[in-house]
Amino acid sequence: QVQLQESGPGLVKPSGTLSLTCAVSRGSISSSNWWSWVRQPPGRGLEWIGEIYHSGSTNYNPSLKSRLTISVDKSKNRFSLNLSSVTAADTAVYYCASGVVGATKGQNWFDPWGQGTLVTVSS
Amino acid sequence: QSVLTQPPSVSGAPGQRVTISCTGSNSNIGAHYDVHWYQQLPGTAPKLLIYGDINRPSGVPDRFSVSKSGPSASLAINGLRAEDEADYYCQSYDSNLSGYVFGTGTKVTVL
């Protein structure tokens, strides 16, 4: 089964840009899956951030869209997240996940997930 | 904020049955989008438990069962075991948001 591993700085200053990368192994990022980011603030629930297809097509959570860029690097079999103008509210564990395509649009589920990486926004 | 509502917590003794509800609306579960369920053990990433409304991935015991009616879905854990103590999340798609949504999460405690 494909494996996912997040990497990036664990501390970002307020108003800065949060940048994370998800390395895909034991599988190709050019498969039929969509590739997603999900975050979880400490002690709270899960929030879908957005997704990308290997073609570069993206879908974003409307609440984050103005600050969000998700990109894909097929040559390195990885995808990335950039979230700008961060505040303390963006402090969370960030997960990357493989979106398995269901029978029709909107039926995707997430499997597997990376182990997650904690990003703290603080000066 | 989450558009799928779950009870914050449920509990039961070993061997008992507990159920977790996931209540949505006509733009997600009620619009016939599939519901998926995840189990998150303490300190770990979520793990797929149920996909496509009713399907269990390989390795997930049949003690976990699901149902769905209108804008709501439910996950039942039969024969509760200590290792079932975790947080559980439902997930679906919302046509108003044009994106994926998660439930608020339910903590299952084994007494």
Side-chain angles (χ1 to χ4, degrees):
Chain A
Q1 188 186 35
V2 66
Q3 291 186 338
L4 306 172
Q5 178 66 60
E6 306 89 350
S7 62
L11 181 65
V12 181
K13 294 187 185 304
S15 77
T17 297
L18 183 159
S19 297
L20 296 173
T21 295
C22 181
V24 178
S25 59
R26 299 190 179 184
S28 172
I29 203 163
S30 296
S31 69
S32 59
N33 291 358
W34 284 74
W35 306 97
S36 270
W37 290 97
V38 177
R39 69 180 181 179
Q40 184 172 36
R44 298 181 63 185
L46 302 168
E47 179 183 32
W48 178 73
I49 297 172
E51 64 180 357
I52 190 164
Y53 196 61
H54 62 77
S55 64
S57 294
T58 55
N59 294 300
Y60 294 157
N61 186 320
S63 68
L64 299 170
K65 188 173 184 176
S66 64
R67 301 191 289 130
L68 182 62
T69 302
I70 298 177
S71 58
V72 64
D73 186 339
K74 291 190 286 185
S75 67
K76 295 184 178 179
N77 220 37
R78 68 187 190 189
F79 61 106
S80 299
L81 163 74
N82 277 351
L83 185 65
S84 63
S85 304
V86 296
T87 69
D90 295 308
T91 293
V93 175
Y94 285 76
Y95 296 99
C96 57
S98 172
V100 182
V101 177
T104 57
K105 177 181 169 60
Q107 309 290 32
N108 296 8
W109 60 90
F110 304 111
D111 181 51
W113 298 57
Q115 66 183 30
T117 187
L118 174 63
V119 179
T120 301
V121 178
S122 174
S123 55
Chain B
Q1 60 276 24
S2 301
V3 300
L4 303 181
T5 302
Q6 300 177 230
S9 64
V10 298
S11 61
Q16 286 189 331
R17 169 188 168 100
V18 297
T19 60
I20 301 168
S21 60
C22 173
T23 302
S25 67
N26 290 335
S27 62
N28 41 69
I29 300 174
H32 305 294
Y33 289 108
D34 285 352
V35 179
H36 320 289
W37 293 87
Y38 302 87
Q39 178 192 60
Q40 186 176 31
L41 297 170
T44 69
K47 170 191 158 188
L48 181 69
L49 194 65
I50 300 286
Y51 66 95
D53 282 344
I54 59 172
N55 304 290
R56 285 187 304 275
S58 173
V60 174
D62 59 6
R63 300 186 294 105
F64 294 91
S65 61
V66 291
S67 63
K68 183 179 174 184
S69 178
S72 296
S74 291
L75 172 72
I77 309 175
N78 300 287
L80 197 62
R81 302 178 66 163
E83 60 259 37
D84 298 332
E85 194 160 278
D87 294 325
Y88 293 80
Y89 293 90
C90 57
Q91 176 244 314
S92 188
Y93 180 86
D94 191 279
S95 59
N96 286 347
L97 299 176
S98 295
Y100 298 96
V101 290
F102 288 94
T104 49
T106 299
K107 181 175 181 60
V108 170
T109 300
V110 181
L111 301 173

